[in-house]
Amino acid sequence: MELVFDGHNDVLLRLWRNMKAGADPVAEFSNGTPEGHIDAPRAREGGLAGGLCAIYIPSGDLVLKDPDANGHYNTPLAAPLSYAPSLDIAMEKAAIAVRLDRAGAWKLCRSTADIRQAMKDNVFAAVLHMEGCEAIDPDLDNLDVFYAAGLRSLGPVWSRHNIFGHGVPFAFPMTTDTGPGLTERGFELVKACNRLGILIDLSHITEKGFWDVAKTSDQPLIASHSNAHALTPVARNLTDRQMDAIKDSGGLAGLNYAVTMLRTDGLDNKDTPLSAMVSHVNYMVERMGIDHVAIGSDFDGCTVPKDIRDAAGNQNLVAALKSEGYAGDDLAKLCRENWLRVLGQAWHE
């Protein structure tokens, strides 16, 4: 079995929602559930050794637009969120992560050595990520506190605007150049992340924001769950020029399993073949090289192909990649080693 380290998932969102309805997140993750995509039993079955687990603040007003007769859609951006309630939710999700760690349900990892040890111990290696920084105060005072709690990765924005920058809408077809980039506070956030050793994720930011980070950050450029815009022209996928910059920086892009970001028609249809996933991997590898492509599933945050289904089906993608000729060190790079390399660089190891 080829172990996979995943660059993005929303399992904390599912656990948090179910906790609000009365469920025990430790029991749900440890014992398994028919809901969603990730828990410990399904992760073990599918060789999902760990991943970046997002603290994401839901946007209650976001309603995805249905495609028109041509299959096109353009969902308006969600409204900005207030700081105080966002912080409350972020703390609740961070607390779930800590409780899972304390119970031995997963290992909350702060270094690549932690990740490799968790893999060796067959314990899910969780890294705290923040998807949209609505819970970070304008002066960045609590960023150090989140870092102390285990935060090692963040995306300045989700697909909505905040005090740090501007996000891209859910739209097909659409250019990636959808609005302004970082704000002045956003530039300060990037510098603070560089100083602390927090990875900066560019998967939801505008193209202008991408280039703002590129000219400011000393880290490899990372788009944790984004595919090739040339194959699927949704606003969130990467242009060739962006991929060239990722390659030149030593960074990576993680294959997003979301069918809307894989299909040439952009539709939310689980009847999406594994060949669509392989096509995006092939395109990104051809453009950037094998050292700059990885996996960023978006499990528990999207519709995935029916042949994947959930974390237990991860080896079906591995098998498809093997059939395409990926093997040995190249397959290991795609599945985990590229992530471990760039995390180590971002974390000053």
Side-chain angles (χ1 to χ4, degrees), residues 5 14 52 61 68 90 114 120 122 138 146 168 176 182 206 215 227 264 267 286 307 314 320 335 342:
F5 185 84
R14 192 195 77 226
L52 275 70
D61 67 326
D68 63 19
D114 285 348
K120 182 179 179 181
N122 198 28
F146 278 109
V168 296
T176 61
L182 293 177
T206 61
K215 71 184 182 184
N227 299 333
T264 56
L267 293 180
E286 183 176 348
D307 290 334
N314 233 19
C335 289
V342 298

Side-chain angles (χ1 to χ4, degrees), residues 24 97 216:
D24 176 359
T216 307

Side-chain angles (χ1 to χ4, degrees), residues 40-269:
R42 286 181 289 180
R44 284 193 293 269
E45 182 180 349
L48 184 62
L52 275 70
C53 301
I55 294 173
Y56 159 72
I57 314 304
S59 278
D61 67 326
L62 182 70
V63 179
L64 294 176
K65 290 283 189 181
D66 290 329
D68 63 19
N70 296 315
H72 299 173
Y73 59 88
N74 189 348
T75 300
L77 285 170
L81 301 179
S82 300
Y83 166 65
S86 298
L87 178 60
D88 288 344
I89 293 172
M91 291 297 291
E92 290 169 354
K93 291 186 177 182
I96 291 172
V98 171
R99 290 175 197 144
L100 287 166
D101 180 75
R102 188 182 299 130
W106 71 16
K107 171 66 177 176
L108 194 54
C109 297
R110 294 170 168 82
S111 68
T112 56
D114 285 348
I115 295 171
R116 291 195 184 280
Q117 186 61 51
M119 288 180 173
K120 182 179 179 181
D121 295 339
N122 198 28
V123 177
F124 189 88
V127 175
L128 269 188
H129 167 76
M130 187 171 285
E131 187 175 31
C133 289
E134 285 81 4
I136 302 297
D137 65 280
D139 295 323
L140 309 180
D141 291 329
N142 67 13
L143 185 62
D144 291 275
V145 179
F146 278 109
Y147 179 83
L151 184 71
R152 291 296 182 273
S153 173
L154 63 78
V157 297
W158 183 68
S159 286
R160 61 186 168 229
H161 305 328
N162 63 26
I163 64 172
F164 301 109
H166 297 79
V168 296
F170 294 97
F172 173 89
M174 182 170 278
T175 174
T176 61
D177 186 11
T178 61
L182 293 177
T183 65
E184 288 305 312
R185 288 193 177 106
F187 283 106
E188 293 305 313
L189 176 64
V190 170
K191 294 172 186 175
C193 289
N194 286 176
R195 183 177 68 253
L196 287 169
I198 298 175
L199 180 143
I200 301 161
D201 180 20
L202 303 171
S203 272
H204 280 273
I205 205 164
T206 61
E207 186 172 359
K208 287 186 174 67
F210 178 100
W211 297 115
D212 284 343
V213 173
K215 71 184 182 184
T216 307
S217 179
D218 61 12
Q219 296 180 9
L221 298 176
I222 305 297
S224 69
H225 54 306
S226 295
N227 299 333
H229 192 271
L231 299 183
T232 307
V234 294
R236 282 199 47 228
N237 277 343
L238 297 165
T239 66
D240 288 356
R241 184 167 171 250
Q242 286 174 303
M243 284 191 276
D244 292 344
I246 287 171
K247 175 185 177 180
D248 291 344
S249 74
L252 64 76
L255 176 75
N256 193 324
Y257 293 8
V259 295
T260 55
M261 298 178 66
L262 291 168
R263 298 174 61 91
T264 56
D265 60 13
L267 293 180
D268 190 18
N269 184 348

